[in-house]
Every structure is written in C-alpha cells, then in structure tokens.
Amino acid sequence: MVLVAGYLGSGKTTLVNHLLTHARDHRIGVIVNDFGRVNVDALAVAGQVDAMLPMGNGCLCCAVDTAGLDRMLERLAEPELGIDAIVIEASGLAEPRDLVRMLLSSENPRVAYGGLVEVVDAVEFEANRVRHPELDEHLRFADLVVLNKTDRRADPGLVELVRKVSNGRPVVRSAFGAIDPGLLFDARERKPVARQLSFDDLRHSDGGVHEHLHDAYRSVEFSSGTPLHPRRLLAFLTERPAGLYRMKGPVRFAVPGYDDRFLLQTVGPYLRFHRSPWGAEAPVTRLVLIGTGLDEDDLLARLAACAEPAELPERAILPLLKYCE
C-alpha cells in the first residue's frame, strides 16, 4: 500500500494518473480518499463509496471514504485480482500521519505498508510553508518526497532546501508527476500470453517514461553466501544512508534455531522481516537497495561488513525479532 499525499494543487492526481498510464506490467489498485470528481486516466470516477471501475491497462480504481478504507483493502487484495500494489490518493486536506497509522493498523495479511509519498509543489513551496506551517512536519514524516512542477522552476537550491526541511528524505524531481512506477513497487512475474498489441503498448514502444524523468533512481544489488550478523545489519538498517528509499530480499543469519529465511522489506524508516522456510531456494542473502544518489561502493562495503561466518549465540538476534512478522 503506497500512500500519496500533498496539499491541494501539488499534483497528486497527476502523479496517480501517470502511474496508471505507465503501469506496463504492473497491476495497480487505486483508492481515492476524497469526495468529488477525480479524473483518473481520462475516466471520471464518481466520488461515491464502493465505486469500482475496470480500466483498459489492467488497473483497478476505487473511490472510498475513510471509514471504508480497510474494507476496500480487503477487496483489492483478493488474490484472483492479481494486484501488485494499492495506491491511496489522500485528500489535499488530510493529515498524513493519521492515514499512515490507519494503514499500519490493517489486519489484512495480504497487504503491507509501502510508504508515504509526499508531493510538493516546487513553484509554491515557500508560500505553502507560510500558509501551512505543518508542511515541514509532513515532509519529515514522508518516506519519499516528489518535488513536482520542476519544469516551471529549475532551481537546484530548492532540492537542497527540501532535503534539509525533510531531514534528508529521498527527493525525486518531476514534471507532470512523471516518476517511474518501479521506484514505488514491483510487478510480479507473469507468464506471457499471446494477445493483440494495445494502445498502451504502442504508446510506450519508443522507450516509455524513463526519458521524461528528471531524477533517475538506481538499484544496488548485494549477495552473500556468508550469513549476516543480526546486530550489524540492524545498525545499518536503522542508520541508513540518505537517499536510500527501499530495501528488499531474503537474509540468512548464523544463529542456531534461526536459520530460516528472513525476508526483509523496508521503505523509508519502516522495517519488517517476514520469517519462513527457505524451501528449494538456496540459503543466500540477496538484497536489492533502491534510491537516489546512492554510493554503490559505500553501500556494498557496509553490507559486506555485516557478514559473520562464526556461529552466534541466540541473544545476538533478539533485538531484530521485534521487527519480525
């Protein structure tokens, strides 16, 4: 579940439209946490509870009030729908902290928190800080800041100001809400099927959205056959470098009784491990780190320093267990 927030006019709906129209292999469910009419990919979605529309690119869009949020999550998370991610567009007057608490309180085992994306109007940033002093707090609470409308204001100093106000949160510049869906979520692997080319296929045949992005994010891959030290890895995760937005992948620890597969999922400061058997998969740590302005050599060196070939006592993993599900 990815929450998109920001003040009125910042470009939230434009960003959601962009995600939908450039979804490609992603299947996205959208919940509009507002009333009124919202144009989503040239479809007028009436702001009524429980409205659902199938869309031509395989996405699903819902309009819902706050009280029905968990019920809509339940419906969108049904396995037969094949939804990869649920994007929630918050009202321009909503309090992001309250919405995040609501998402984290969901009892649905099929959904996981995917981060708060705060959309900021580059043209009106300073004026909005005066009109809405709470904006600074919203930025510090975000996991990713999208500095939108930079086509209308090319000011490198503004990016640094936003980073400073947000306490070093990853900042991605955009025009017309154009960010790559792959920065926010992953598409599941699907078997190819024979079908006609759609208009969406033709529209993206020239290379797609990537050429329009102002800030390219990058991914760094780390693997280790040597188990990791839980405390060292936890220190890395809780003091992660600026610009690192997401981490994911299986982790192996050298602690007797805890030789399971610990699947790591992080977004911003949010951190969770899902424990399960390795099965047929080789017990190897394989992590993918995603963000902007990443120093690959530094990240790989810091993760390599977490390796520990010696068997560790059980107490070594205890601090990490509070993040396990």
Side-chain angles (χ1 to χ4, degrees), residues 127-143:
N128 280 337
R129 290 185 71 197
V130 174
R131 289 192 294 261
H132 306 283
E134 64 274 20
L135 175 59
D136 289 7
E137 182 181 357
H138 290 183
L139 290 176
R140 290 190 290 268
F141 197 66
D143 299 299

PDB file of all heavy atoms in Angstrom, residues 127-143:
ATOM      1  N   ALA A 127       5.744  29.618  -0.308  1.00  0.00           N
ATOM      2  CA  ALA A 127       4.449  30.192   0.071  1.00  0.00           C
ATOM      3  C   ALA A 127       3.613  29.177   0.853  1.00  0.00           C
ATOM      4  O   ALA A 127       2.930  29.542   1.827  1.00  0.00           O
ATOM      5  CB  ALA A 127       3.696  30.649  -1.177  1.00  0.00           C
ATOM      6  N   ASN A 128       3.660  27.912   0.455  1.00  0.00           N
ATOM      7  CA  ASN A 128       2.907  26.887   1.175  1.00  0.00           C
ATOM      8  C   ASN A 128       3.447  26.666   2.580  1.00  0.00           C
ATOM      9  O   ASN A 128       2.691  26.350   3.496  1.00  0.00           O
ATOM     10  CB  ASN A 128       2.926  25.568   0.394  1.00  0.00           C
ATOM     11  CG  ASN A 128       1.922  25.564  -0.743  1.00  0.00           C
ATOM     12  OD1 ASN A 128       0.944  26.314  -0.731  1.00  0.00           O
ATOM     13  ND2 ASN A 128       2.164  24.721  -1.738  1.00  0.00           N
ATOM     14  N   ARG A 129       4.745  26.826   2.763  1.00  0.00           N
ATOM     15  CA  ARG A 129       5.310  26.681   4.112  1.00  0.00           C
ATOM     16  C   ARG A 129       4.789  27.777   5.032  1.00  0.00           C
ATOM     17  O   ARG A 129       4.620  27.551   6.241  1.00  0.00           O
ATOM     18  CB  ARG A 129       6.839  26.745   4.059  1.00  0.00           C
ATOM     19  CG  ARG A 129       7.489  25.543   3.413  1.00  0.00           C
ATOM     20  CD  ARG A 129       8.997  25.637   3.516  1.00  0.00           C
ATOM     21  NE  ARG A 129       9.456  25.440   4.889  1.00  0.00           N
ATOM     22  CZ  ARG A 129      10.665  25.775   5.326  1.00  0.00           C
ATOM     23  NH1 ARG A 129      11.527  26.379   4.512  1.00  0.00           N
ATOM     24  NH2 ARG A 129      11.013  25.534   6.574  1.00  0.00           N
ATOM     25  N   VAL A 130       4.527  28.959   4.460  1.00  0.00           N
ATOM     26  CA  VAL A 130       3.985  30.055   5.260  1.00  0.00           C
ATOM     27  C   VAL A 130       2.503  29.817   5.556  1.00  0.00           C
ATOM     28  O   VAL A 130       2.044  29.966   6.688  1.00  0.00           O
ATOM     29  CB  VAL A 130       4.184  31.402   4.532  1.00  0.00           C
ATOM     30  CG1 VAL A 130       3.483  32.527   5.296  1.00  0.00           C
ATOM     31  CG2 VAL A 130       5.665  31.705   4.375  1.00  0.00           C
ATOM     32  N   ARG A 131       1.750  29.430   4.517  1.00  0.00           N
ATOM     33  CA  ARG A 131       0.310  29.198   4.685  1.00  0.00           C
ATOM     34  C   ARG A 131       0.021  27.951   5.507  1.00  0.00           C
ATOM     35  O   ARG A 131      -0.967  27.893   6.235  1.00  0.00           O
ATOM     36  CB  ARG A 131      -0.361  29.075   3.313  1.00  0.00           C
ATOM     37  CG  ARG A 131      -0.447  30.354   2.524  1.00  0.00           C
ATOM     38  CD  ARG A 131      -1.377  30.193   1.337  1.00  0.00           C
ATOM     39  NE  ARG A 131      -0.866  29.253   0.363  1.00  0.00           N
ATOM     40  CZ  ARG A 131      -0.220  29.592  -0.748  1.00  0.00           C
ATOM     41  NH1 ARG A 131       0.014  30.877  -0.999  1.00  0.00           N
ATOM     42  NH2 ARG A 131       0.204  28.675  -1.589  1.00  0.00           N
ATOM     43  N   HIS A 132       0.887  26.942   5.380  1.00  0.00           N
ATOM     44  CA  HIS A 132       0.666  25.659   6.061  1.00  0.00           C
ATOM     45  C   HIS A 132       1.944  25.274   6.807  1.00  0.00           C
ATOM     46  O   HIS A 132       2.751  24.485   6.305  1.00  0.00           O
ATOM     47  CB  HIS A 132       0.303  24.569   5.055  1.00  0.00           C
ATOM     48  CG  HIS A 132      -0.853  24.912   4.173  1.00  0.00           C
ATOM     49  ND1 HIS A 132      -2.162  24.862   4.607  1.00  0.00           N
ATOM     50  CD2 HIS A 132      -0.901  25.308   2.878  1.00  0.00           C
ATOM     51  CE1 HIS A 132      -2.962  25.200   3.618  1.00  0.00           C
ATOM     52  NE2 HIS A 132      -2.237  25.479   2.566  1.00  0.00           N
ATOM     53  N   PRO A 133       2.158  25.815   7.988  1.00  0.00           N
ATOM     54  CA  PRO A 133       3.392  25.517   8.734  1.00  0.00           C
ATOM     55  C   PRO A 133       3.588  24.020   8.998  1.00  0.00           C
ATOM     56  O   PRO A 133       4.723  23.582   9.210  1.00  0.00           O
ATOM     57  CB  PRO A 133       3.198  26.279  10.052  1.00  0.00           C
ATOM     58  CG  PRO A 133       2.206  27.351   9.733  1.00  0.00           C
ATOM     59  CD  PRO A 133       1.292  26.757   8.706  1.00  0.00           C
ATOM     60  N   GLU A 134       2.492  23.258   8.970  1.00  0.00           N
ATOM     61  CA  GLU A 134       2.605  21.824   9.214  1.00  0.00           C
ATOM     62  C   GLU A 134       3.282  21.082   8.061  1.00  0.00           C
ATOM     63  O   GLU A 134       3.597  19.889   8.182  1.00  0.00           O
ATOM     64  CB  GLU A 134       1.233  21.214   9.479  1.00  0.00           C
ATOM     65  CG  GLU A 134       0.248  21.261   8.320  1.00  0.00           C
ATOM     66  CD  GLU A 134      -0.549  22.554   8.235  1.00  0.00           C
ATOM     67  OE1 GLU A 134      -0.101  23.568   8.809  1.00  0.00           O
ATOM     68  OE2 GLU A 134      -1.613  22.541   7.598  1.00  0.00           O
ATOM     69  N   LEU A 135       3.502  21.768   6.925  1.00  0.00           N
ATOM     70  CA  LEU A 135       4.139  21.122   5.778  1.00  0.00           C
ATOM     71  C   LEU A 135       5.519  20.564   6.142  1.00  0.00           C
ATOM     72  O   LEU A 135       5.888  19.470   5.702  1.00  0.00           O
ATOM     73  CB  LEU A 135       4.278  22.116   4.624  1.00  0.00           C
ATOM     74  CG  LEU A 135       5.043  21.623   3.389  1.00  0.00           C
ATOM     75  CD1 LEU A 135       4.392  20.389   2.800  1.00  0.00           C
ATOM     76  CD2 LEU A 135       5.137  22.722   2.334  1.00  0.00           C
ATOM     77  N   ASP A 136       6.275  21.289   6.946  1.00  0.00           N
ATOM     78  CA  ASP A 136       7.604  20.808   7.339  1.00  0.00           C
ATOM     79  C   ASP A 136       7.499  19.457   8.040  1.00  0.00           C
ATOM     80  O   ASP A 136       8.290  18.547   7.788  1.00  0.00           O
ATOM     81  CB  ASP A 136       8.288  21.815   8.254  1.00  0.00           C
ATOM     82  CG  ASP A 136       8.721  23.076   7.517  1.00  0.00           C
ATOM     83  OD1 ASP A 136       8.370  23.212   6.318  1.00  0.00           O
ATOM     84  OD2 ASP A 136       9.396  23.922   8.126  1.00  0.00           O
ATOM     85  N   GLU A 137       6.523  19.339   8.929  1.00  0.00           N
ATOM     86  CA  GLU A 137       6.328  18.074   9.646  1.00  0.00           C
ATOM     87  C   GLU A 137       5.914  16.963   8.686  1.00  0.00           C
ATOM     88  O   GLU A 137       6.369  15.822   8.806  1.00  0.00           O
ATOM     89  CB  GLU A 137       5.276  18.233  10.736  1.00  0.00           C
ATOM     90  CG  GLU A 137       5.057  16.972  11.558  1.00  0.00           C
ATOM     91  CD  GLU A 137       3.997  17.148  12.623  1.00  0.00           C
ATOM     92  OE1 GLU A 137       3.474  18.265  12.758  1.00  0.00           O
ATOM     93  OE2 GLU A 137       3.686  16.155  13.305  1.00  0.00           O
ATOM     94  N   HIS A 138       5.055  17.292   7.718  1.00  0.00           N
ATOM     95  CA  HIS A 138       4.638  16.293   6.735  1.00  0.00           C
ATOM     96  C   HIS A 138       5.837  15.769   5.958  1.00  0.00           C
ATOM     97  O   HIS A 138       5.942  14.571   5.687  1.00  0.00           O
ATOM     98  CB  HIS A 138       3.620  16.892   5.772  1.00  0.00           C
ATOM     99  CG  HIS A 138       2.292  17.176   6.398  1.00  0.00           C
ATOM    100  ND1 HIS A 138       1.223  17.659   5.683  1.00  0.00           N
ATOM    101  CD2 HIS A 138       1.857  17.049   7.675  1.00  0.00           C
ATOM    102  CE1 HIS A 138       0.193  17.809   6.484  1.00  0.00           C
ATOM    103  NE2 HIS A 138       0.560  17.456   7.703  1.00  0.00           N
ATOM    104  N   LEU A 139       6.751  16.657   5.586  1.00  0.00           N
ATOM    105  CA  LEU A 139       7.924  16.244   4.827  1.00  0.00           C
ATOM    106  C   LEU A 139       8.817  15.331   5.660  1.00  0.00           C
ATOM    107  O   LEU A 139       9.357  14.348   5.155  1.00  0.00           O
ATOM    108  CB  LEU A 139       8.719  17.465   4.371  1.00  0.00           C
ATOM    109  CG  LEU A 139       8.072  18.332   3.286  1.00  0.00           C
ATOM    110  CD1 LEU A 139       8.930  19.550   2.996  1.00  0.00           C
ATOM    111  CD2 LEU A 139       7.854  17.536   2.018  1.00  0.00           C
ATOM    112  N   ARG A 140       8.966  15.647   6.938  1.00  0.00           N
ATOM    113  CA  ARG A 140       9.812  14.813   7.796  1.00  0.00           C
ATOM    114  C   ARG A 140       9.187  13.453   8.053  1.00  0.00           C
ATOM    115  O   ARG A 140       9.886  12.489   8.369  1.00  0.00           O
ATOM    116  CB  ARG A 140      10.094  15.541   9.118  1.00  0.00           C
ATOM    117  CG  ARG A 140      11.022  16.735   8.975  1.00  0.00           C
ATOM    118  CD  ARG A 140      11.452  17.268  10.329  1.00  0.00           C
ATOM    119  NE  ARG A 140      10.365  17.918  11.042  1.00  0.00           N
ATOM    120  CZ  ARG A 140      10.098  19.218  10.966  1.00  0.00           C
ATOM    121  NH1 ARG A 140      10.854  20.003  10.197  1.00  0.00           N
ATOM    122  NH2 ARG A 140       9.112  19.740  11.655  1.00  0.00           N
ATOM    123  N   PHE A 141       7.880  13.373   7.913  1.00  0.00           N
ATOM    124  CA  PHE A 141       7.183  12.110   8.147  1.00  0.00           C
ATOM    125  C   PHE A 141       7.129  11.254   6.886  1.00  0.00           C
ATOM    126  O   PHE A 141       6.832  10.063   6.948  1.00  0.00           O
ATOM    127  CB  PHE A 141       5.759  12.399   8.645  1.00  0.00           C
ATOM    128  CG  PHE A 141       5.092  11.220   9.291  1.00  0.00           C
ATOM    129  CD1 PHE A 141       5.580  10.698  10.480  1.00  0.00           C
ATOM    130  CD2 PHE A 141       3.991  10.625   8.707  1.00  0.00           C
ATOM    131  CE1 PHE A 141       4.975   9.613  11.075  1.00  0.00           C
ATOM    132  CE2 PHE A 141       3.375   9.536   9.299  1.00  0.00           C
ATOM    133  CZ  PHE A 141       3.868   9.035  10.483  1.00  0.00           C
ATOM    134  N   ALA A 142       7.428  11.854   5.732  1.00  0.00           N
ATOM    135  CA  ALA A 142       7.352  11.133   4.459  1.00  0.00           C
ATOM    136  C   ALA A 142       8.497  10.144   4.323  1.00  0.00           C
ATOM    137  O   ALA A 142       9.539  10.256   4.984  1.00  0.00           O
ATOM    138  CB  ALA A 142       7.377  12.119   3.296  1.00  0.00           C
ATOM    139  N   ASP A 143       8.299   9.151   3.444  1.00  0.00           N
ATOM    140  CA  ASP A 143       9.362   8.216   3.095  1.00  0.00           C
ATOM    141  C   ASP A 143      10.050   8.636   1.800  1.00  0.00           C
ATOM    142  O   ASP A 143      11.226   8.347   1.593  1.00  0.00           O
ATOM    143  CB  ASP A 143       8.790   6.806   2.937  1.00  0.00           C
ATOM    144  CG  ASP A 143       8.156   6.308   4.225  1.00  0.00           C
ATOM    145  OD1 ASP A 143       8.880   6.214   5.227  1.00  0.00           O
ATOM    146  OD2 ASP A 143       6.939   6.037   4.240  1.00  0.00           O
TER     147      ASP A 143
END
